[in-house]
């Protein structure tokens, strides 16, 4: 059974969880990876109840051991790996602790390296597989108050682009989805109680998941590296 | 019946013709537009035989009258408009006739303006519709021997980006598909007899069409502006 | 005596005129080209009074004959050619006359092709020369209300980039200066009477001219293609 | 006396050393910072012999303490800070140790954060100062075999861009010089004994230094963020 690993899974109404549910519904066994066991189990249970196959796996995206273990547990049929970890880390550089800047990079970029490396180590021998990264508009340019996040996300995107070129000849499809704006998920709903009243300004999670699914389905003679996604209300 | 206009339709094994066939198969009435009536009729006949609805329409993409007529004939149900006109126009600037540079622009960029303008004139009042443009890697950067084509395609892409922002609030989705490499179609097969022997280096037309179809289906809360498409063998 | 052609020269407090004065002060004979003889003569007279060498030349940047004549008149010592023609052409695409869109391109992009082609025709045989273009932030991305200008300026920039690559091996340095914001010149002062009160938000003409002069002086082993210029107050 | 800090100083025929010498010749006191005392002393001695003012300072660009000490020692007159640390770190991702990827980032990007932060902490209260970073073509896009370097340099560039926007209103000019190709310095000469025979393909150090000097001299109403530098022989 084809297997997917999705890391960066949190609450049910979040991008990570919905990616898991979509690919499970599409017939893949999904390794549901993230930091909070309860959340992972909830997602995996939903999938199993719906007749799919899912395994919760607690993993810290920045821990080499955790990531290696995660891929080892995925088995031979790994066909899709999605790196969805990394939160926005706002703040002015002048006030910023070095540790904060480093942690922003560690989660958004270094974890992507560990994850991507383990993915290609397993996919290259089979000459097939898809590796996808979640990006943001912050990946594309620097902006005041977002230096740490910008730096980390640009580092991830450029790594992904280098890997796309490095492993294309091996049959590995590497892609990057630029999420431009706030997602209509639990995170934003909890933080901004008014968010429910402006749903049309929040990106549809299903729409983003469609983008990942589209990239995954592409034939080797028509691969995309990058896809941007935003609502019609977004200024860009 | 929802209606699509596709301009830049030539031989059956070409991107324009296959875009028509896909959207007809997906249930749209398709206005099949291009310069050669016989080619347009062949595509429209195939569609009708397969149970779809298609109308051939001879139109010069660079003629304002032709483009206005084309959109007038499309009727009230216009939901999708695809600008696929424009060929590569190589050549060194030092040797280039002014007329050649101008024609490159007229087909690849000015025609896109006429087409895009007529599309939004009909879509904005209905607050819905999708307008897609065919781009190329040449749209993204200048390169020796491709100055005329680069200039025209970059002009088209930036126009498309401006329109994407200008009409998003009106519910119009504008997108741009960057075709990076040679397409596995009649044009390349005729010009390069050895092309059949290196199919894996030629972009799958179906794969490109999938990209257009994906953009067309996106919900208003998850629109993409741009999608790149290339084979795994392409150097980029 | 090394000769420069600067086209797009208008009032004295404008970028074109100040480029002429700077390069004349630096010892070049300057062909002062533009549409209004009185303005050109005023600039040329100032230069001559200051001990420099200048020749006014009425020329329409979009006329092939005018541009060929202009370069023929410059003589053997042509060393620098600057294309500074092209005004902002705002407007929504939905309301735009085809003629307006075309004129925007003709001045901002097609004229740049004619000018650039005539420049390299004379510089390549000598294996030396510098060709510079005035760009804008509009050259880099599309924005609502600026589709025509964006398209034309992006077309010019990508042409310049292609030429930079096409003629580098011939010893021709091609550059592009991105002017990001309003210039502290006559044009803005006349149009916006309050502009004098917000000088710090208007780009220093001398500063832009410094950029052109810097590019012109670069040795063949350290050429820049592009330079952006903006005030510290500009949002970008 | 206006003071500059330049970090990333190595052998005399290297970019760091020549930056020090240029700004010393232009009248600044220069803090010559790097890892190897002997090299730093040699540069500082040369400067002093030529009548300039220089202070060697051993500092590890990735050490927060070292960087803080460096800026503390620079005193009140700090006017220019240049981050020139970071070497190319080639390698395929599939074979790469996590530690190697991290070190690439630590030198090329994290050190730039520490350095930039300390610079703005001292410049913002005075409402003036210039902060410049050395970039590479690797900063702009990912490429096979350069994933670690690409990721780190893109992270640095995007950080620099965020800082340029964040501190412009405070009068701080932040710039980024994209060095596109190999530099005609000791490093390349030592590594590739044939390099002397193809000098015209190696970027002139003086030309790069001119770029830094140009950015430093720009008035607040005409700042550039980015400048690319390459030889006429470079393919790009």
């Amino acid at each position: 059974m084809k297997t997917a690993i999705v890391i960066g899974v949190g609450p049910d109404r979040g991008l990570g969880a919905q990616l898991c549910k979509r690919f499970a519904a599409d017939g893949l066994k999904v390794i549901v990876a993230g930091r909070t066991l309860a959340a992972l189990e909830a997602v995996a249970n939903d999938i199993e109840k719906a007749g799919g196959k899912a395994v919760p796996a607690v993993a810290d995206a920045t821990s080499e051991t955790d990531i290696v273990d995660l891929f080892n547990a995925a088995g031979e049929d790994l066909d899709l790996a999605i790196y969805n970890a990394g939160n926005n880390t706002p703040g002015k550089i002048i006030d910023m602790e070095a540790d904060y800047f480093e942690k922003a990079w560690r989660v958004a970029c270094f974890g992507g390296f560990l994850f991507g490396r383990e993915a290609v180590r397993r996919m290259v021998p089979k000459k097939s597989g898809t590796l996808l990264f979640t990006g943001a508009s912050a990946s594309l340019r620097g902006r005041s108050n977002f230096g740490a996040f910008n730096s980390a996300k640009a580092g991830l995107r450029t790594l992904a682009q280098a890997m796309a070129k490095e492993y294309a000849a091996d049959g590995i499809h590497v892609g990057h989805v630029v999420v431009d704006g706030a997602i209509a998920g639990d995170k934003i709903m909890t933080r901004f109680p008014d968010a429910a009243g402006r749903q049309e300004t929040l990106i549809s999670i299903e729409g983003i998941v469609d983008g990942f699914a589209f990239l995954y389905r592409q034939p080797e003679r028509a691969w995309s590296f990058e896809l941007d996604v935003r609502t019609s209300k977004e200024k860009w």
Side-chain angles (χ1 to χ4, degrees), chain A:
Chain A
M1 192 175 187
K2 285 189 176 176
T3 300
I5 301 176
V6 180
I7 196 163
V9 179
D12 183 62
R13 288 307 308 164
L15 179 53
Q18 295 302 317
L19 285 166
C20 293
K21 290 185 171 183
R22 170 69 61 88
F23 288 107
D26 286 352
L28 284 82
K29 173 180 159 187
V30 180
I31 314 292
V32 181
R35 285 172 302 180
T36 313
L37 183 61
L40 306 175
E41 286 180 338
V43 171
N45 284 342
D46 283 357
I47 288 173
E48 297 270 343
K49 267 184 225 159
K53 187 95 186 78
V55 182
V58 172
D60 174 350
T62 69
S63 155
E64 186 168 13
T65 317
D66 282 13
I67 297 301
V68 170
D69 289 351
L70 187 64
F71 277 85
N72 285 342
E76 296 294 304
D77 295 327
L78 180 69
D79 198 51
L80 172 64
I82 300 181
Y83 192 77
N84 182 55
N87 290 319
N88 196 345
T89 47
K92 305 276 188 214
I93 296 300
I94 202 167
D95 303 320
M96 199 175 284
E97 298 289 329
D99 191 52
Y100 184 87
F101 185 83
E102 178 167 342
K103 276 189 180 145
W105 170 78
R106 215 163 268 288
V107 179
C109 183
F110 178 69
F113 157 75
L114 293 174
F115 189 87
R117 185 191 67 181
E118 295 307 307
V120 293
R121 284 180 173 177
R122 283 151 187 88
M123 291 172 176
V124 165
K126 299 193 305 171
K127 299 289 176 196
S128 104
T130 299
L131 169 64
L132 303 176
F133 295 91
T134 303
S137 49
S139 313
L140 305 178
R141 61 185 167 282
R143 209 152 59 92
S144 178
N145 206 44
F146 295 97
F149 190 54
N150 289 148
S151 179
K153 290 300 272 189
L156 178 70
R157 178 183 183 245
T158 311
L159 169 66
Q161 198 180 63
M163 292 186 75
K165 297 177 183 181
E166 199 162 285
Y167 299 104
D170 294 305
I172 314 305
H173 180 192
V174 180
H176 183 254
V177 178
V178 175
V179 178
D180 184 8
I183 295 177
D186 273 354
K187 211 187 291 175
I188 199 89
M189 298 301 182
T190 308
R191 225 175 281 169
F192 303 99
D194 68 320
R198 48 185 179 86
Q199 284 278 345
E200 77 283 2
T201 68
L202 303 176
I203 310 177
S204 151
I205 296 186
E206 280 68 30
I208 305 173
V209 172
D210 286 344
F212 281 87
F214 171 69
L215 295 178
Y216 176 56
R217 281 192 311 264
Q218 289 185 311
E220 191 167 334
R221 284 178 46 213
W223 281 348
S224 302
F225 170 64
E226 196 158 68
L227 191 67
D228 53 320
V229 187
R230 65 181 63 76
T231 77
S232 65
K233 309 301 181 195
E234 191 68 25
K235 298 294 166 214
W236 61 293

